[in-house]
Amino acid sequence: MYNILTEFGVSKKLVTLIKMCLTETYSRVRVAKNLSDMFPIRNGLKQGDALSVLLFKFALEYAIRRVQVNQDGLKLNGTHQLLSYADDVNILGGSAHTVKENAEALVVATKEIGLKVNADKTKYMITSRDQNAG
């Protein structure tokens, strides 16, 4: 994560403060009226923490930039065709093959930095003016 933050110009002092916020963190889970015992968070980010959202956005932006630098396929008609908002990413392409290649490239880039794409939440849609298009 340090490399990602420094690429976006985050100072070393701020990175140290972020590390301090994420070190030795604990959580509890509430189910109905029952509250679990505290358990340590060893990896990942705390659910619901404002800092978690910011760090996730940095990581996703870093992965998207790496894909755009390393792949020619993310351009269609001269413009980038990868749209993201929060944790939703839309990949557009001139063919199903192009979209698949771009999606695979993004999955590889996110995996390298510790993010994981949830295949169960992944959807795709093919649109065409050709009525016989698959």
Side-chain angles (χ1 to χ4, degrees):
M1 182 55 97
Y2 177 76
N3 292 338
I4 296 169
L5 293 172
T6 54
E7 182 172 310
F8 285 97
V10 177
S11 72
K12 186 175 182 178
K13 192 173 192 176
L14 188 53
V15 170
T16 302
L17 288 171
I18 291 169
K19 284 182 183 179
M20 288 172 51
C21 289
L22 298 175
T23 303
E24 294 186 36
T25 56
Y26 294 86
S27 190
R28 290 180 158 183
V29 176
R30 180 183 307 274
V31 178
K33 294 184 178 183
N34 300 321
L35 190 62
S36 75
D37 293 333
M38 292 181 72
F39 57 90
I41 299 175
R42 292 192 174 93
N43 60 5
L45 300 169
K46 295 183 281 186
Q47 186 76 20
D49 184 359
L51 183 58
S52 299
V53 175
L54 183 64
L55 294 175
F56 174 79
K57 287 181 181 183
F58 276 132
L60 184 59
E61 176 72 16
Y62 178 82
I64 289 170
R65 285 184 183 191
R66 290 195 55 192
V67 171
Q68 290 178 343
V69 167
N70 296 329
Q71 299 290 323
D72 293 331
L74 287 177
K75 286 190 174 184
L76 179 66
N77 297 329
T79 61
H80 290 289
Q81 299 299 312
L82 191 144
L83 313 168
S84 66
Y85 178 78
D87 63 346
D88 293 325
V89 177
N90 296 300
I91 301 172
L92 309 176
S95 68
H97 177 74
T98 300
V99 171
K100 182 178 177 182
E101 282 183 346
N102 294 338
E104 288 171 355
L106 185 60
V107 167
V108 168
T110 57
K111 189 180 286 188
E112 289 174 1
I113 60 171
L115 296 178
K116 186 172 110 176
V117 174
N118 186 341
D120 294 335
K121 292 183 177 180
T122 302
K123 299 177 181 121
Y124 67 92
M125 177 175 70
I126 298 173
T127 60
S128 174
R129 291 184 180 171
D130 181 3
Q131 292 180 349
N132 298 321

